[in-house]
Amino acid sequence: MLTDDAREIHATRTWVPPFLSTLVTLPVGFLALVYAMLSPMACDSCGREESRRFADSFMPAFAVFAVGLLVSLVLLVVAWALPRRVRHTPRRLVLAVCAPFSVVAVWLVFLVLVDWP
């Protein structure tokens, strides 16, 4: 008699969702990071008070942004790391889809948190 583990079929083509997610998540995450790192230049011509408000809002917003990018990376790594079994296919797909959307979501949160001049 076979156990449940022995009956579980090894899933094929489970690498496709994480692969496609990697092709989207990494470039989008890189572009969002470059935008966030260059955004302090938006306040180059600001006055003293405006510059202080911007700097006070930028630092916590960038910290939230960095943690959010790490969460996106963790989602991507977990999508790759799940065992290639049929029962993990839906989880792998959900994680692979959530990774690029989390980059966009954290970028939007960053835009909202910064007090732009």
Side-chain angles (χ1 to χ4, degrees):
M1 179 173 268
L2 295 174
T3 64
D4 287 336
D5 290 336
R7 285 185 194 152
E8 189 172 295
I9 299 171
H10 185 74
T12 57
R13 296 192 183 117
T14 58
W15 58 272
V16 174
F19 178 72
L20 293 176
S21 181
T22 301
L23 288 179
V24 173
T25 303
L26 293 182
V28 170
F30 175 73
L31 290 175
L33 181 63
V34 168
Y35 177 83
M37 292 175 74
L38 292 177
S39 63
M41 289 192 306
C43 202
D44 280 348
S45 63
C46 294
R48 183 179 183 133
E49 181 63 30
E50 209 174 21
S51 180
R52 187 185 57 76
R53 277 188 295 124
F54 176 79
D56 288 345
S57 67
F58 177 78
M59 294 310 289
F62 191 77
V64 168
F65 179 74
V67 169
L69 283 183
L70 286 176
V71 168
S72 301
L73 184 62
V74 166
L75 288 171
L76 195 59
V77 168
V78 171
W80 278 106
L82 280 173
R84 294 196 173 139
R85 303 284 184 201
V86 173
R87 68 183 169 133
H88 294 297
T89 302
R91 288 183 196 108
R92 182 183 304 274
L93 182 62
V94 167
L95 290 169
V97 168
C98 286
F101 284 114
S102 67
V103 171
V104 173
V106 76
W107 180 66
L108 291 174
V109 167
F110 172 76
L111 291 177
V112 169
L113 290 177
V114 174
D115 185 15
W116 297 98

